[in-house]
Amino acid sequence: MRWIDYRKTLTPRYGIIWRDIGACYLLLATGVTAVALVQRSLGGSAATAVAVPVVLWTGYWLHALFLFGHEAAHAHLAPRRRANDRLADWLVWLFFGSTTANYRHTHMTHHSRLGSHRDTETTYQLCLSVANLLKGMTGLRVLEVLLRKARLAHRTAPRRKSSKRPSARRHGPGRRPSRAVAGALASLRSVVLHAGILTLLVAGGSLPAALAWSLGAGAIFPLCAMTRTIVEHRRLDAPCSVDFTVVEHGPVNRLFGSDPLSRSFGAAGFNKHLLHHWDPAISYTRFGEMERFLARTPLATEIEASRIGYGAALKRLLWEAWRG
């Protein structure tokens, strides 16, 4: 059977996707609940001690949940795109201040322009230096990404010709808001959500739980997102001295492990990112079949050459950053 025919059978398994999203919610709730329960039974000192690992736990599982926004951008959360987008907007992107449509708008260029100066997702241009790791933890890298995307959106926005007569299409009651308006509303919803979570935790008498949530969301989550992107796409031999805004990096994809750590750090199939870039229309829930099929083709050699563990890739990238 040809791939073009076989791929038609690889429809998303929606039950698995929602099971995995539900697991992220459950694990997030478990962390802050554990801190609150320890505070209630053992006091503030014990709760503070428990809160330290829960900071890492919260950021880690927020990052895992975030990756399902990518799955939604490829319309894999529901059979109908409208339902897919709405579900993701309210159950995934609600935490991260964006929308499925806005992310999809810039993400698709990443597939066609990976490694070039026209790529819209360029975090892999950074090495894992101490300065860049601090950028990731303090939110400065997030700010850089948002500003870059704002410039891209402004540059690619279609210019409308002025018209003396108002357009029913533009101003009609059923007209959807622009991406900028939708993005601003999404950011506001996210701020309200996180403020509500922190208010509930503080009002419930657990300041350590509130601190664990805020530090996990504000420092560990963006650090995980930045590190994962670099590990996925950066050349392992690329020194920090090379400026990839001047020199084109070139496309790089990797195939990571299937152990629990790889499947959670690279949730929603990011641990098999090479397969996703080869055919973005295939859901991560079918990557097992996809990989087995391609292993019987001439692509088997490239698959094997792309295999590496997250730990091994991270170690080599940190070594190159230390060397400068």
Side-chain angles (χ1 to χ4, degrees):
M1 181 183 289
R2 298 178 306 166
W3 171 248
I4 197 170
D5 299 315
Y6 183 65
R7 69 189 297 278
K8 294 175 184 176
T9 69
L10 301 180
T11 54
R13 289 174 173 156
Y14 301 111
I16 293 175
I17 295 170
W18 287 104
R19 178 204 67 190
D20 292 347
I21 291 174
C24 290
Y25 270 89
L26 178 62
L27 291 163
L28 281 167
T30 299
V32 291
T33 301
V35 178
L37 290 175
V38 168
Q39 169 131 19
R40 187 168 297 181
S41 58
L42 299 176
S45 298
T48 301
V50 173
V52 173
V54 171
V55 170
L56 302 175
W57 179 269
T58 299
Y60 187 90
W61 290 110
L62 276 172
H63 171 254
L65 178 63
F66 168 73
L67 297 180
F68 287 92
H70 170 268
E71 191 76 353
H74 291 280
H76 293 157
L77 265 58
R80 295 176 181 269
R81 176 168 286 203
R82 186 179 179 87
N84 171 90
D85 288 11
R86 286 192 173 184
L87 285 167
D89 286 352
W90 287 99
L91 295 174
V92 179
W93 289 112
L94 182 62
F95 288 86
F96 307 109
S98 189
T99 67
T100 308
N102 279 10
Y103 176 69
R104 182 184 291 130
H105 176 67
T106 56
H107 177 67
M108 294 308 168
T109 304
H110 169 64
H111 278 278
S112 60
R113 302 294 182 181
L114 174 63
S116 76
H117 288 151
R118 297 181 65 184
D119 194 349
T120 50
E121 298 175 14
T122 58
T123 298
Y124 59 85
Q125 292 179 353
L126 303 177
C127 69
L128 285 175
S129 65
V130 173
N132 287 330
L133 290 172
L134 288 173
K135 273 187 180 183
M137 290 186 69
T138 57
L140 290 175
R141 179 56 191 166
V142 174
L143 183 60
E144 287 178 351
V145 170
L146 291 175
L147 290 173
R148 184 173 186 275
K149 288 191 174 183
R151 289 195 298 270
L152 283 171
H154 177 74
R155 219 165 34 227
T156 59
R159 295 182 180 179
R160 291 173 177 166
K161 294 181 179 180
S162 60
S163 173
K164 295 180 181 179
R165 295 166 56 184
S167 167
R169 184 181 176 187
R170 268 189 282 167
H171 303 287
R175 179 68 173 164
R176 292 183 182 178
S178 68
R179 282 194 299 272
V181 172
L185 290 173
S187 296
L188 179 61
R189 288 196 297 266
S190 184
V191 169
V192 170
L193 172 69
H194 286 285
I197 291 171
L198 295 175
T199 300
L200 285 173
L201 292 172
V202 173
S206 185
L207 181 59
L211 289 172
W213 183 272
S214 59
L215 290 173
I220 303 304
F221 157 62
L223 178 64
C224 285
M226 184 189 79
T227 303
R228 175 193 47 77
T229 305
I230 293 171
V231 170
E232 282 167 0
H233 290 306
R234 187 174 175 86
R235 283 169 29 200
L236 295 177
D237 61 347
C240 292
S241 57
V242 177
D243 183 356
F244 287 114
T245 63
V246 178
V247 179
E248 284 206 339
H249 182 280
V252 172
N253 286 298
R254 297 191 173 96
L255 202 64
F256 299 99
S258 299
D259 57 281
L261 185 62
S262 298
R263 291 174 63 186
S264 55
F265 184 67
F270 271 77
N271 61 316
K272 303 292 182 182
H273 209 52
L274 172 73
L275 302 180
H276 172 66
H277 271 266
W278 278 353
D279 195 334
I282 306 301
S283 166
Y284 79 94
T285 58
R286 310 308 296 266
F287 279 174
E289 294 106 311
M290 180 181 179
E291 186 175 349
R292 286 191 292 272
F293 181 95
L294 296 178
R296 300 191 299 268
T297 72
L299 290 172
T301 303
E302 189 170 347
I303 288 174
E304 292 306 314
S306 300
R307 290 191 192 279
I308 191 171
Y310 276 114
L314 185 59
K315 183 179 178 181
R316 289 185 60 181
L317 288 164
L318 286 170
W319 171 251
E320 285 297 333
W322 182 80
R323 291 175 60 192

